[in-house]
Amino acid sequence: MLNIYLGDMKEAVYHHPTYFDNMYEDEWITNPLSVEMIFDVDKSKVVGAHLIESPVLGPISPKDLSGGVKTLILMAFDENDRVFNASVCGDNCAKWILQIAENKDLTINLRHIMDFGEGKFEAKVLNTNQIVHNMQEFWAIAGEYV
């Protein structure tokens, strides 16, 4: 289930690049979920654990991925129960956040109203302990906190 804390959250990880660069494991990069996320968000192809082919930057290492992809990978694979600030992610990451939360309990911090799309979804807003099922319900609560 997706849990969302809106607004400033002192314990959330805000500087994902540093955390990612020091914590990621090779297996995270070559995992099929990461390969899909990297291709979808960064338009880049994973060649191997240490090589990604970017259409803009050419050959890059995982440390050169976008902040959004790094955050998604951390959400999917970090097992230290960290809460990540998802406001560094663009709305193009929202579908991936929902997918990750289908397979594990995921708590994120948002400091903006992320667009989770027109479809139905389920998320618990921790500020109020309310469950939301669509963007209209989410907006009604989120507007008070961000």
Side-chain angles (χ1 to χ4, degrees), residues 62-127:
K63 292 182 179 185
D64 296 316
L65 290 167
S66 70
V69 169
K70 286 182 178 184
T71 304
L72 290 173
I73 293 170
L74 287 168
M75 288 177 188
F77 300 107
D78 184 73
E79 295 179 357
N80 293 316
D81 295 324
R82 302 275 192 237
V83 175
F84 296 99
N85 174 13
S87 286
V88 301
C89 298
D91 287 340
N92 61 339
C93 295
K95 70 178 183 182
W96 294 107
I97 292 171
L98 292 172
Q99 183 174 329
I100 293 165
E102 286 177 8
N103 299 312
K104 69 184 255 187
D105 284 334
L106 176 65
T107 300
I108 64 171
N109 175 232
L110 280 174
R111 299 178 82 177
H112 79 289
I113 300 175
M114 178 172 272
D115 185 356
F116 289 102
E118 295 180 18
K120 291 186 179 271
F121 63 91
E122 186 170 277
K124 183 177 186 179
V125 178
L126 298 176
N127 306 68

Side-chain angles (χ1 to χ4, degrees), residues 16 22 39 46 48 121:
H16 307 111
N22 290 299
F39 186 76
V46 174
F121 63 91

Side-chain angles (χ1 to χ4, degrees), residues 10-60:
K10 190 169 78 172
E11 62 271 23
V13 176
Y14 284 97
H15 200 264
H16 307 111
T18 301
Y19 188 82
F20 178 89
D21 292 352
N22 290 299
M23 296 299 291
Y24 85 89
E25 298 176 17
D26 290 348
E27 302 82 46
W28 295 4
I29 305 304
T30 56
N31 181 286
L33 176 62
S34 294
V35 171
E36 281 186 69
M37 293 187 302
I38 291 167
F39 186 76
D40 182 54
V41 176
D42 281 3
K43 309 299 183 224
S44 298
K45 182 179 177 187
V46 174
V47 178
H50 302 280
L51 179 61
I52 297 160
E53 188 63 42
S54 165
V56 175
L57 303 172
I60 61 172

